Structures are given as C-alpha cells and as structure tokens.
Amino acid sequence: MSRIRSVRSAAAAVAALDRRTFLAATAATGATAGLGLAFGPGSGSAGASPPATAHAAARRVAQAPAAPSKAGTTLEAFSAARGTTGYRRLAAGPAWARAVRTEITGAKAGRAGRRTALASFVQLTDLHLTDVQHPMRYEFLRAGRPGAWRPHEALTVAGAASLIERINGLRGGPATGAPLSFVMTTGDNTDNNARIELEWFLTAMNGGRITPNTGDPRHYEGVQNSGHTAFWHPGQALRDADKALGFPRLDGFLEAALRTVNSPGLRLPWYSTVGNHDDLAGGVYSFGRDYATDFATGKRKLEIISAAEAERFSQATRQGTDPRGTRMKTLLEAHAKDMRTVTPDERRAPFTRAEYLAAHLDPAATGPGPAGHGYTRDNLDQGTLYYAFRISDDVVGISLDTTDPGGHYTGSLGTAQLRWLERTLRAHRDDYVIVFSHHYSRSLDNRNRDPARPGEARHGGDEVVALLQRHPRVLAWINGHSHRNEITPRSTFWEITTASHVDFPQLARVIEVVDNHDGTLSLFTTLVESAAPHRTDFSDLSQTGLAALYRELSFNAPGVSQKLAGDPTDRNTELLLRKA
C-alpha cells in the first residue's frame, strides 16, 4: 500500500490516534534515539509551547560525551578531482580544516577545556528526490541552459540512501563527541512536487525499499534514451553532448538506476521543513491543480526545444514574471506535436500542502519519530507548515515555511506566520533558539500573494533578520535553497546556509551548540559526504557503486558551478557568539 494516502483517509488516521497511542509512539522514539537530546513532536499551534524534553537523557549527554571523532567527515577527507580537463574522476583528497570565526565576538583562550554541549544534530537540505520520467520537467530547456538537466538525476534515491548510511555511522558530534540527537531537513525533499517522490522521501528517511521507476515498469521513458544529443545516453554509442565532454558509456546504467534501492532509514528522530520544490510545480509555478494533475499524470512529455527558445523562456522564469505558469502552459501547447508518448501514471500527481502534512502525520510514516516529524494535527487543521519543537533543556527549534504559494522559486513569509514567529520568540525568551527554513535571507524577496489568502501581505528576509536580531538568544538561522555553503554573521546570530545533496559537493552538515563558560557560545559546523567511496569502477552498478557515481557525475555535470562548496570559512567552522 502506498505511504501517500488521500487527505481524507490520512487525516482520519491521525484523528484516530488517542493520547495513549501518541505517548507510546513518543516513548518509542526516545528508546530508538538512545541518549539523544530531541524528543517529542513539534507544536504547530500558534499558542502552544514545544513539548518537554527528556531532561535526564539531556543531562547524561552533557555529562558523558564520547571522544570527538573526525571519522566520516570532511575533517578527515574530501572527494577531490584528478586531472584538469575533460571528464574528471574523483578520489580521496585533502581534509578541510576547521576555521574559527570571530566577526560577532572574540574567542577566549582555554575554552576547549571548559566547554559543554547544549545540542548536537544534523542538517540535510535539497535532497531533490526525482522521478526522472515525470512529464512536467524542465529537461527540454537543456539545449539553451545546460544546467536545466543533470546527468546524475536518475541516482537521487541511491545517493540519499548512502547519505543516510553516513549519518547513521557518525560516532557523535565531531567537535564535542555529544550524541547526535536529531536530523532536520530544510526543504526541497522532492523535486517535482509529485506524490510518488514524497513516498520515496518518507521511505528513504524511515527505511525501506524504493523502486525509483514510474510509468512502464519494464522500460525507461525519459530523455536518456530519447536520441536527442543534448542528453547523456549512457547505454548507447550515440555521440551526445556529454560524451563529447568525456562522459563514459555505461551499458546497463538506466536499468540499474531504476532498480529497487534499500534505504537503511535514519536511526535518529528527524524533523521536516518544506521547500519550494515540495510545494510548487517544478519549484516555480502555482498552476491550477487540475491542469498540473492532468499533465503530470498524462501521456505527453516534452523533451527538447531550440536553444534560443530555451534561453528566452529561462530568462523570463528567472525574472519571476510568470508565477502562475501562463507562459509555461503556452509553450507546452505550442509544442504539443513534438512531445513523446509515455505511460501515464497517477502516482505522479502533485500533492497539496494538506497532503504533505497528512503524509508526515500518517502513523505508517513515523519511523524513528517523532510522530509527524514536527508537524501536528494543529498544522493540518490550520493549514500551516511551521512549528516549534524542544531540542534540549536549553534550546528550542523553530521551523518556518518560506515558500510563497503564489509562485516563483524565491520565498517570503505571510503576516500570520511572521506574527506567530514573533510570539514564539517572546514565549521562549529564556531559551536559546535555532531557526530553520528552506530559503536563505537574501532569497526571501517574493511578494506574490498567496491565492488562499489574497489579502495577506508577504514579508522578506530583511524583516526576518531584524526580528531575529531583536531576540539576542537566537543563535542561528539554518537554511538551504542556494545549493551553496555560505555562513554569514548577522550581528547577533549566524546565518548558516548549506549546499544541496543533488549538486556537487553533495554535503550534509553537523551542527553542535556549545557553552564555553566564559561568556561566549560556539557553534561548530562540520560537513559530511555520503558513505559511498570516493571513486568506483565504472563496471560497478551496485547500489553503492551508483551512489559513488552519483557524486562523480554531479561534479562533472555541465552548467553547474564549481564554487558551491563555498570558501573555507563557509565549511567546517567554529562560530563564536556572545552569551546572552
């Protein structure tokens, strides 16, 4: 049975959970997490407080951390390219050192011998689990925009499973040794806002078998066997554009990419934040639901248009002048006769915000917990995708919904959410606070009105930064969206933006909050790659081999920036803060 149920059936299942069942699920989460710091679901209600933490477990963490270890992190090694031109193979390269950043306050001597951990957790962002045969994709732009399609996209599920394997193998916080207590995803968990991708995401996070194939179960029906030379055809002798750059011929690649993947599932509780690709068609368009459903589940797929037309269309998309997708619909209609016939699949239908919530709240998706992964029945009843949750005795987390339902890939907050955020910060003035969102501050500049709330104003990143600065116990704003590592001082807190797991360097970030007991706090950030080997033989099309190939293909993908790793000061760091 699919993990994604209808809104009605999933909501009914949530309503049927009595308090005893709910508490049992929460207790099971604590047992699974061992000595973790995070227990219990979040609070999506505007007036409720985050649930209490298991205080005894938190104290044990503070008193008895394990020895810090660099194992499995970029402090130990990082994938580096060999050669200087053409298709470049990866191998183990030099480690990334830790940089100490003192733009907000200075570092005092002797703090290493005094510090105690307040929190230790992992951030995942921009997994972009992708149905590569989905009809409503932008691959057709590749002739004019090479980055509109990635040669490695068919391997997103295998890559996610390998990243989860890596997180499960970490021994604790690399700086403090404190047990990792939870994982937070900061959005773009799916790529096409498709129900099947949401099912794959929940299964990957919780553990299980995923077959990343839709349409005809016997045959691949996408651009990589289309005959169009703009795309890499791994199993054919066709001299395509990517092979001209040195991409290999890999017989059996497509068959292997569509095979069932076994995800180990996270051993830690995990929380979810929504991104624009989880909420909008292609991460951009606020289509009418009927149109999006008909096209996504239908039998027509546009594969290529001219380079000139692709460039004109891409330019308009970047400018944000077509949030409702009118120009996109016109383009699809104009090329109706050019489309490939594919096998229809109802699992490709877009999911609504309510369905996204209901899928997380479905008891079948609880996994290591907490039930709802931060979202609650209040969220479902109120139609909200933001919440607060207790991280530890001293720290509260806040997950925001920065996607603009009015369309376009940049974001903003509605007035109701901004006011909720202000109330929540006031309610937790005695706690340290960490804020999570998908969009980073500079990308919160979207003023398109929410169709469901046309009278509500939208608010940008400058307003959010100013609000957080008025609350000196806000330590960090952690986000993604840019697919680039970047850490920015914001006077009283640090904004930590992490690279995606779909574009190279394909990283997750461990974050540790530390009291230095000298009037300062430190945030340690440490980047980790997936568990896949740095290099694999081209003949290895096993799940592990595909995960390694996923990384290497992403490095070589045409049109992708090689600067997404950021500067050394955006990677492994110690970020100093004043203790408020």
Side-chain angles (χ1 to χ4, degrees), residues 192-208:
N192 301 304
N193 175 235
R195 291 177 184 174
I196 187 63
E197 293 173 342
L198 181 54
E199 180 179 327
W200 294 346
F201 165 66
L202 294 170
T203 304
M205 298 292 279
N206 292 326

Side-chain angles (χ1 to χ4, degrees), residues 463-485:
E463 289 183 76
V464 177
V465 168
L467 173 57
L468 300 183
Q469 288 173 336
R470 292 198 294 272
H471 294 268
R473 290 177 71 88
V474 173
L475 306 180
W477 180 2
I478 299 171
N479 48 49
H481 185 64
S482 71
H483 293 208
R484 177 173 181 158
N485 290 318

